[in-house]
Amino acid sequence: MALIVQKYGGTSMGSPDRIRDVARRVSRWKAKGHQLVVVVSAMSGETNRLLALAKNVSPSPDSRELDVMVSTGEQVSIALLSMALKDIGLKARSYTGAQVKIETDNAYTKARILNIDDANIRADLNNDTVVIVAGFQGIDAHGNITTLGRGGSDTTGVAIAAALNADECQIYTDVDGVYTTDPRIVPEARKLDQITFEEMLEMASLGSKVLQIRSVEFAGKYKVKLRVLSSFEEEGKETQGTLITFEEGRKMEQPIISGIAFNRDEAKLTVLGVPDRPGIAYQILGPIAEANIDVDMIIQNVGNDGTTDFSFTVNRGEYERALNILEQKVKPHVAARAVVGDNKICKVSAVGVGMRSHPGIASQMFRTLAEEGINIQMISTSEIKISVVVDEKYLELAVRVLHKAFGLEQAA
Amino acid sequence: MALIVQKYGGTSMGSPDRIRDVARRVSRWKAKGHQLVVVVSAMSGETNRLLALAKNVSPSPDSRELDVMVSTGEQVSIALLSMALKDIGLKARSYTGAQVKIETDNAYTKARILNIDDANIRADLNNDTVVIVAGFQGIDAHGNITTLGRGGSDTTGVAIAAALNADECQIYTDVDGVYTTDPRIVPEARKLDQITFEEMLEMASLGSKVLQIRSVEFAGKYKVKLRVLSSFEEEGKETQGTLITFEEGRKMEQPIISGIAFNRDEAKLTVLGVPDRPGIAYQILGPIAEANIDVDMIIQNVGNDGTTDFSFTVNRGEYERALNILEQKVKPHVAARAVVGDNKICKVSAVGVGMRSHPGIASQMFRTLAEEGINIQMISTSEIKISVVVDEKYLELAVRVLHKAFGLEQAA
C-alpha cells in the first residue's frame, strides 16, 4: 500500500465525461489498495471565464477580491469529482484550501505555501476515504483566501505530497510525459522515461508547459518523487509517463543533452551607450524591478569608448511597460545614448546534466545554428543549459536542427 | 448615522452593469454617513448553471458536495461587488459565510443559522469599510460548507441585521415593494407602504415571491426592521418600498384585508372512504412525511357511514411521488376505498390582520367566488387569512374579483 497524491489539470477535468473518467482512474488506483489524495484544477476555461468577468466589472480588479473569485473554479471541481467518486461507490470528501488548511503568505494572486495542516487529510485517509483537494489556493494567517498563481495546482499537489511524505506525486495532464522537445515542432521528439530535477527545472523555466516551475522547485526541495502522466490514456493502455528523478538514481550512460526547450514569450531591451561605471546595472534594473517586471537574461557588453551596452529580456507582455520605464526614468538618469527593443525574439535552449562533463556542447550548438544562417543575439549559460536568443522567425528551424544535432530522436 | 444591512438578489447582481449600479447605490447610502453591510446573492442564473453542471456529473449529487459547489455563486458575487466598490473609492471587504463566520447546523442544502460571529464585521465597520457578505451560505461546527436553501440570502441578510442589531435590513429586489396582489394579474394592485410581519408571513408562505418566508420569520423573531425596495429605481427617484412592521406601530384605521395571495404550485390528494378511527391521519401522513414531502393544507370530512375522506395538498412537484405512496403504502394499509388526486389546482388567499376584529370576511369571500361560479374545493383558515383551493383555470379571475371585493385598489 502506497500513499499517492494525484493532480489533474483543467483539461483532465474539462467536462462531466472527463470528470467521470478521472473518478474511474482514481478508483482503479484505490482498488490496488493505495491511499489517495487527489488535487484538481478548475475546469478548463473556467479561470479565464472568471478573470474576464472580473475585468468586465473592474478595469484593474483588486487582487484580494480576484483571489476570492478565481478560487471558486477549483471549488467547483472538487465538489464534482467527489460526487463522481461517490457515485461509483467510493468514500470521498472534498476540501478547499481553507478547509485543509493550506496556509500561505499574503501575496494575493501569487501566494506561497507556508504550511499544510495534514490532520484532516490523514484522518480521512485512515478512514478509507479518497481526499479531494482544491489546487491553486490557500488562506493566509488572517483567513483571507489566496491563490498561488497560474499553474499553482501543480504546486499544491507537490506540497501536499511533501507534507504527507507521500510515496509518489503523479501529475496528470494532456501529454503522456516530458519530451525531448515539442512534438508539434519536431515530430521525432521522444518521450523521456526519466529526467533529473535540475533538467526539468530548466525545461520548465524555459517554456516547457508540462509542469509549473515552482512545483518542480518544491519537489526538489522536499525530495518528492514526481511523475508526469497522461489522463487521456485508456484503461489497460496506461504508460509510465516521465519520472522526475534525483540524479543519484540515474544510469551512468546518460545522454549529454536531454531536451531542447524554447520560449516565444520573450522581448529584448537594450540601453545603448551607457557610461561604464559601477552601479549602472542597478540604475537600469532598479526601476524595472520596482515596477514588478521580472527580468530573465541580462547581458552587458563593455565597449572601448568608456560606454557599455546593456541588454535584458522580459516577458513579452511587459515589453511596452519596460520600454516606457527605460525611456522615461532610466535614459535621462544614466545619460544613455539610446534605448532600443525587440519583441519579436525567442529563446532556444539545450538542457542536460551531461554537459557538466562534456565540454564543447556550446560550440556545437553555435555551429549548428550558424550553418543554418541563424544569427544569435544573446547567449546565456548555466551549468546544465545553454540558451540563445534568436529572431522569432527562426524558432522552429532552430529547435529542429538542434534536436537533430544532439541526436535526441534516438533512444538513450 | 445608522447601521444598515442591504441585501441584493440575483437580478440586482445580474450583470457587470447591474453590479456597478449596486456599488453606486451602496456608495450613496455610505455618503449619508451610514455603516453598511451588504449581503449578495449569486448572479441570476448562476445557481441553476451550477446545479445543472452537478446533475451532468452525478444523477443525484451528494448534498455535502452540492453545497461546496453551489456556494461558489455567492463567492463570485461578493468579490465582484467589492471590486466595484473599491473602483469608486470606497473601502470594501468581502466575506464568505465561513470567513464571517456564519455557523449553521449540518443539514446540507437547507441548513439553519445557529450563530453569527460579528467580530470581523464590526472591526471593518469601525474602520469605515463596507462589508460584503455572501448570502445563502455558512459552515457547520466542523468547517463543512453549508447552504440555507433557495432564497437563503434573504435569511442571511436578516440574520446579520439581527446579530449586529442593525437599524434596518433593506431587501433590494426587482419589484419596488409588496403589493396587494400580483400586478400582472390585477393591474390595479397597489403597493403597500407597510404590512405587518404576520401578514407578510402569510403572503410569503402563500406564494408571494418577494421575500423568502424563513427570512420573515427570522425578522419577526429578532424584531428586525425589514424593508423591501427596488434596486432598479434610478438615482433621485427611489421610493420607500414597503416597510414590514410590528403591529404596534401601525395606524388605527387599517384595512381589513391587506392583500390577495395565491400559489399555483399546488396539488391535491384525497384518500376516499377511510375507516373513521383514531390514528388514521398519522397512518396516511406518516409515510408522506417519511418521504420528506411537505404537506400544506389538510382537510378531513367525516362521512356518516363510518368512513371519512381525507384530503391534503402538496407542492406540485411532489404530486406523483405522493400519489404513489398513497396507492402503494397507504391504501392497502388503511383499507381505503380509493385514492384520487388533482394537480391542476391553485390556492387563493385573503390576508389581513384586520379580519381578527371583523367577522364576516370569510362569507364575503365565499359569496364573491360563488357569484363568479367558482367552485371551492378546500377551505383553510387562520387568524389572519382565509385560503381556498379552486380549479387552476379560475386563478386569475378569483384573484381579480377578490381584490375588487375587498376594495384593495383604493389607498388605505
Side-chain angles (χ1 to χ4, degrees), chain A residues 16 19-20 43 46 49-50 53-54 56-62 64-69 71-72 75-76 78-80 82-84 86-87 92-96 99 108 143-145, chain B residues 16 19-20 43 46 49-50 53-54 56-62 64-69 71-72 75-76 78-80 82-84 86-87 92-96 99 108 143-145:
Chain A
I19 291 169
R20 281 188 293 262
M43 295 173 76
E46 180 64 7
R49 184 186 74 85
L50 290 166
L53 183 56
N56 271 336
V57 168
S58 171
S60 59
D62 179 79
R64 176 187 187 274
E65 303 301 339
L66 206 55
D67 279 357
V68 169
M69 186 167 166
S71 62
T72 63
Q75 191 170 328
V76 168
I78 54 172
L80 290 174
S82 301
M83 289 172 192
K86 287 176 187 177
D87 277 350
R93 192 175 189 82
S94 74
Y95 285 89
T96 62
Q99 287 176 319
Y108 296 121
N144 296 301
I145 295 169
Chain B
I19 290 169
R20 282 187 293 264
M43 295 174 78
E46 181 64 5
R49 184 186 74 84
L50 290 166
L53 184 55
N56 271 336
V57 167
S58 172
S60 59
D62 180 80
R64 177 187 186 274
E65 303 301 337
L66 205 55
D67 279 359
V68 169
M69 185 167 170
S71 63
T72 63
Q75 190 168 328
V76 168
I78 56 173
L80 290 173
S82 300
M83 289 172 192
K86 287 175 185 175
D87 278 348
R93 191 175 189 83
S94 73
Y95 286 90
T96 62
Q99 287 175 318
Y108 296 120
N144 297 301
I145 296 169

Side-chain angles (χ1 to χ4, degrees), chain B residues 239-408:
Chain B
T239 60
Q240 295 294 304
T242 299
L243 182 66
I244 294 132
T245 63
F246 300 93
E247 209 171 343
E248 303 81 51
R250 295 194 74 185
K251 51 187 174 232
M252 298 294 285
E253 284 294 327
Q254 66 198 8
I256 298 164
I257 298 295
S258 290
I260 307 297
F262 56 86
N263 189 358
R264 267 179 227 281
D265 203 20
E266 299 257 333
K268 182 180 72 168
L269 296 130
T270 302
V271 185
L272 293 167
V274 187
D276 188 15
R277 61 167 187 255
I280 203 72
Y282 176 69
Q283 285 178 326
I284 292 172
L285 293 182
I288 298 290
E290 276 163 32
N292 236 331
I293 298 173
D294 273 343
V295 170
D296 178 15
M297 290 168 78
I298 302 169
I299 309 276
Q300 184 175 356
N301 298 323
V302 180
N304 49 16
D305 59 349
T307 69
T308 182
D309 299 336
F310 191 97
S311 295
F312 59 94
T313 61
V314 298
N315 189 294
R316 200 174 286 179
E318 307 281 19
Y319 174 68
E320 301 290 346
R321 217 152 61 87
L323 198 59
N324 275 337
I325 290 167
L326 292 185
E327 285 285 1
Q328 282 157 30
K329 294 195 185 163
V330 174
K331 190 179 155 193
H333 193 58
V334 302
R337 195 171 73 242
V339 169
V340 296
D342 185 352
N343 64 354
K344 293 270 188 291
I345 57 151
C346 66
K347 184 165 68 170
V348 177
S349 310
V351 176
V353 290
M355 71 174 72
R356 279 184 186 139
S357 49
H358 283 73
I361 297 297
S363 64
Q364 186 180 350
M365 182 167 178
F366 303 154
R367 187 180 67 233
T368 302
L369 295 173
E371 282 169 3
E372 299 295 334
I374 300 172
N375 186 43
I376 298 172
Q377 302 182 23
M378 293 170 86
I379 299 169
S380 161
T381 61
S382 79
E383 258 201 303
I384 65 161
K385 74 122 207 269
I386 306 160
S387 297
V388 296
V389 165
V390 300
D391 190 317
E392 188 186 16
K393 70 182 174 188
Y394 294 127
L395 186 144
E396 292 82 357
L397 177 61
V399 171
R400 271 198 303 270
V401 297
L402 291 173
H403 195 267
K404 191 163 198 326
F406 290 114
L408 290 175

Side-chain angles (χ1 to χ4, degrees), chain B residues 1-9 22 25-26 29-30 33-41 81 100 102 113 116 118 121-122 125 129-136 152-173 211 215 218-219 222-229 242-244:
Chain B
M1 187 190 79
L3 170 49
I4 296 174
V5 176
Q6 299 187 331
K7 180 261 167 178
Y8 292 91
V22 169
R25 187 175 305 274
V26 169
W29 281 91
K30 190 84 183 67
H34 301 307
Q35 292 185 321
L36 283 166
V37 178
V38 183
V39 175
V40 294
S41 301
L81 182 57
V100 167
I102 298 174
I113 296 175
I116 293 180
D118 64 352
I121 295 180
R122 283 205 192 276
L125 290 176
T129 299
V130 177
V131 173
I132 315 295
V133 176
F136 177 68
S153 292
D154 286 353
T155 306
T156 303
V158 172
I160 286 182
L164 295 172
N165 199 17
D167 296 288
E168 189 166 302
C169 179
Q170 303 177 338
I171 307 285
Y172 284 87
T173 176
L211 274 175
S215 71
F218 218 105
Y222 292 98
K223 299 276 183 283
V224 173
K225 192 173 159 193
L226 198 60
R227 190 183 290 277
V228 175
L229 295 147
T242 299
L243 182 66
I244 294 132

Side-chain angles (χ1 to χ4, degrees), chain A residues 160-336:
Chain A
I160 285 182
L164 294 173
N165 199 18
D167 295 288
E168 188 167 302
C169 179
Q170 305 177 337
I171 307 286
Y172 284 89
T173 175
D174 50 0
V175 296
D176 60 352
V178 180
Y179 276 71
T180 51
T181 196
D182 187 336
R184 285 170 300 189
I185 292 182
V186 183
E188 296 79 18
R190 197 169 39 79
K191 191 180 80 176
L192 297 163
D193 291 334
Q194 50 183 36
I195 184 170
T196 69
F197 270 96
E198 288 171 293
E199 288 169 336
M200 190 64 222
L201 217 47
E202 292 288 358
M203 294 290 269
S205 68
L206 294 169
S208 263
K209 303 273 162 49
V210 179
L211 275 176
Q212 203 224 6
I213 182 162
R214 275 171 56 199
S215 71
V216 181
E217 288 169 3
F218 218 105
K221 187 167 167 191
Y222 292 98
K223 299 276 184 280
V224 173
K225 192 172 158 195
L226 199 59
R227 190 184 290 278
V228 175
L229 295 148
S230 168
S231 70
F232 286 77
E233 290 174 336
E234 283 172 40
E235 185 176 356
K237 297 184 185 172
E238 294 98 339
T239 61
Q240 295 294 305
T242 299
L243 181 68
I244 294 131
T245 63
F246 300 94
E247 210 169 341
E248 302 83 51
R250 292 195 76 186
K251 53 188 174 232
M252 299 294 286
E253 283 296 326
Q254 64 196 11
I256 298 164
I257 299 295
S258 289
I260 307 297
F262 56 86
N263 189 358
R264 268 178 225 282
D265 203 21
E266 299 259 332
K268 181 180 71 168
L269 296 130
T270 302
V271 186
L272 293 167
V274 188
D276 188 15
R277 60 168 188 255
I280 204 72
Y282 176 70
Q283 285 179 325
I284 291 172
L285 293 182
I288 298 289
E290 276 164 32
N292 236 331
I293 297 173
D294 274 342
V295 170
D296 178 15
M297 291 169 78
I298 302 169
I299 310 277
Q300 185 173 356
N301 298 323
V302 180
N304 49 14
D305 60 348
T307 69
T308 182
D309 299 337
F310 191 97
S311 295
F312 59 95
T313 61
V314 298
N315 189 295
R316 200 174 285 180
E318 307 281 18
Y319 175 69
E320 300 291 344
R321 217 151 61 87
L323 198 61
N324 274 337
I325 290 167
L326 292 185
E327 285 286 0
Q328 282 157 31
K329 294 194 182 161
V330 174
K331 190 180 155 192
H333 193 56
V334 300

